[in-house]
Amino acid sequence: METTTEKKSVFLSDEELRERINELRTQKNAIILAHYYQVPEIQDIADFVGDSLQLAQKASETEADIIVFAGVHFMAETAKILNPAKKVLLPDLDAGCSLADSCPPADFKRFIEAHPGHKVVSYINCSAAVKTLSDVICTSSNAKAIVDSFPEDQKLIFAPDKNLGSYINSQTGRNMVLWDGSCHVHNQLTDERVIRLKIDNPDAKLIAHPECRGPILQMADYVGSTAALLAFTKTDSNKRYIVATEGGIIYQMQKASPDKEFLVVPSDETCSCNDCPYMKLNTMEKLYLSLKNEKPEILLDERVMEEAKKPILRMLEISKAAKIIK
Ligand code: 13P
Ligand code: SF4
């Protein structure tokens, strides 16, 4: 069966694709930002690979004229909101996010209206329209610090990820009202499959992304964002890990710790992988074509960008003050 990483250009070899992308990147003063869930060849050619917060931080300070975002739509939107004058490209415009889709802005507006007196903390995995309805944005690496920045008696709504929201409730002792959304890639991981892996691999530590369901997070030896999980595997003394998140992160883990073994919690009984179908829509060919043709481009309404920028900047300020930086 052909996998995403095996798909080859019918026109250009991998080497030719790499050469042309490198030429275009220099000619056009472009920067390629890639999320850890991208295929290895895209991670290898990117100027910077990171988690959602690191990528937003990088986008906020780049001097490039063009940002090619090898990630999903809400990430490229965030880069555009932070850089309204720059061209932001997403190699495949269909690279969406089931979690962002689980929070339609009109429904969310009604939800907020039904909870007067609440401030709104939204996970970055949401649309620009939902960001305009939020007081502050967070990512999986700064969610606790962002929530802690509010007085203890401040009533809060957390959206759209109920798993992350309920994990942060457990870490902070708060009782935030949660929007009922989730990421299908993480939410489909079952505790049964994790338990089976733990029984078969008693020496392996379980590390999990906070978008996973509560029972998995409770069993985990370590919970963190993709960047935090990677950092943990670099410094921890164990040799084997059961990894409950999207499989793309394994590439960097294996590269950093070639002597360690990483087992992905499989999405179902038919494979040993857990791929985000949206993240995996981006390919080297699409990356090359987007740089060459300078499209598909992210375009947003001016007012939406202005309103969505405020809660994103607030997140960046709080993260800086809390020293949560790349
Ligand atoms: P982080 O990049 O914050 O770990 O989040 C993972 C994710 O689901 C991105 O869509
Ligand atoms: Fe969205 Fe989940 Fe894919 Fe992340 S892994 S981009 S949250 S669908």
Side-chain angles (χ1 to χ4, degrees):
M1 200 185 86
E2 190 184 50
T3 66
T4 329
T5 48
E6 286 164 353
K7 277 184 196 148
K8 297 276 188 291
S9 169
V10 285
F11 304 110
L12 299 169
S13 68
D14 287 355
E15 190 47 42
E16 284 168 325
L17 276 170
R18 273 194 294 274
E19 274 170 22
R20 292 195 189 193
I21 289 170
N22 283 330
E23 274 165 26
L24 287 168
R25 162 166 48 194
T26 312
Q27 263 169 33
K28 299 189 178 203
N29 187 29
I31 186 171
I32 302 171
L33 302 180
H35 190 268
Y36 286 125
Y37 295 163
Q38 293 296 290
V39 292
E41 52 272 32
I42 292 185
Q43 294 192 38
D44 280 344
I45 204 155
D47 293 281
F48 182 78
V49 188
D51 72 357
S52 306
L53 177 63
Q54 293 169 322
L55 291 168
Q57 286 170 330
K58 205 75 189 169
S60 73
E61 63 198 29
T62 182
E63 287 182 2
D65 295 315
I66 296 179
I67 299 172
V68 187
F69 215 112
V72 291
H73 199 270
F74 74 81
M75 295 179 173
E77 265 188 356
T78 303
K80 179 67 184 174
I81 292 164
L82 290 167
N83 296 281
K86 293 189 200 293
K87 200 171 254 189
V88 177
L89 309 171
L90 182 64
D92 190 322
L93 263 195
D94 287 334
C97 169
S98 58
L99 177 52
D101 290 346
S102 72
C103 191
D107 295 347
F108 189 50
K109 189 164 184 287
R110 278 191 290 276
F111 185 77
I112 295 170
E113 283 161 2
H115 294 89
H118 287 65
K119 297 275 186 199
V120 180
V121 181
S122 292
Y123 189 35
I124 199 163
N125 300 37
C126 64
S127 64
V130 165
K131 289 186 175 77
T132 66
L133 301 170
S134 309
D135 292 289
V136 61
I137 301 304
C138 72
T139 74
S140 53
S141 56
N142 61 18
K144 184 174 178 301
I146 299 287
V147 168
D148 281 343
S149 73
F150 286 94
E152 270 174 35
D153 59 350
Q154 174 61 57
K155 289 190 267 182
L156 296 175
I157 288 173
F158 189 92
D161 190 41
K162 63 177 175 193
N163 292 337
L164 175 63
S166 127
Y167 175 69
I168 298 298
N169 271 343
S170 76
Q171 298 297 296
T172 58
R174 300 219 184 210
N175 188 22
M176 297 187 291
V177 178
L178 308 180
W179 176 263
D180 186 12
S182 60
C183 153
H184 79 289
V185 178
H186 290 86
N187 209 46
Q188 73 192 345
L189 302 180
T190 61
D191 23 331
E192 288 83 1
R193 243 172 270 136
V194 171
I195 290 167
R196 217 178 305 149
L197 272 172
K198 275 172 77 76
I199 291 171
D200 291 346
N201 303 278
D203 59 326
K205 277 190 183 171
L206 172 64
I207 58 173
H209 194 280
E211 287 175 24
C212 292
R213 292 163 185 257
I216 295 179
L217 300 180
Q218 277 169 29
M219 278 188 276
D221 296 289
Y222 183 75
V223 176
S225 75
T226 44
L229 296 178
L230 173 61
F232 179 78
T233 61
K234 285 182 188 171
T235 52
D236 185 61
S237 60
N238 219 54
K239 288 286 178 208
R240 303 182 77 229
Y241 300 88
I242 298 165
V243 184
T245 189
E246 210 268 3
I249 186 67
I250 303 292
Y251 179 60
Q252 296 294 338
M253 289 177 173
Q254 201 71 75
K255 223 160 111 170
S257 309
D259 57 327
K260 296 189 177 183
E261 192 186 348
F262 302 96
L263 309 161
V264 178
V265 179
S267 53
D268 57 42
E269 303 302 330
T270 63
C271 74
S272 58
C273 61
N274 186 31
D275 280 346
C276 170
Y278 302 107
M279 285 281 183
K280 291 328 196 233
L281 279 177
N282 295 321
T283 61
M284 286 288 277
E285 282 155 324
K286 290 179 195 170
L287 181 60
Y288 159 61
L289 289 174
S290 67
L291 249 177
K292 180 169 174 257
N293 302 323
E294 298 187 18
K295 53 187 180 204
E297 186 182 355
I298 301 291
L299 296 168
L300 289 166
D301 178 83
E302 295 279 337
R303 191 199 62 80
V304 169
M305 283 198 279
E306 267 170 41
E307 288 304 306
K309 192 172 184 171
K310 294 174 201 163
I312 299 174
L313 289 181
R314 188 149 179 230
M315 168 187 82
L316 293 175
E317 279 158 23
I318 297 169
S319 303
K320 203 170 171 187
K323 298 200 176 7
I324 306 172
I325 45 170
K326 53 188 190 305

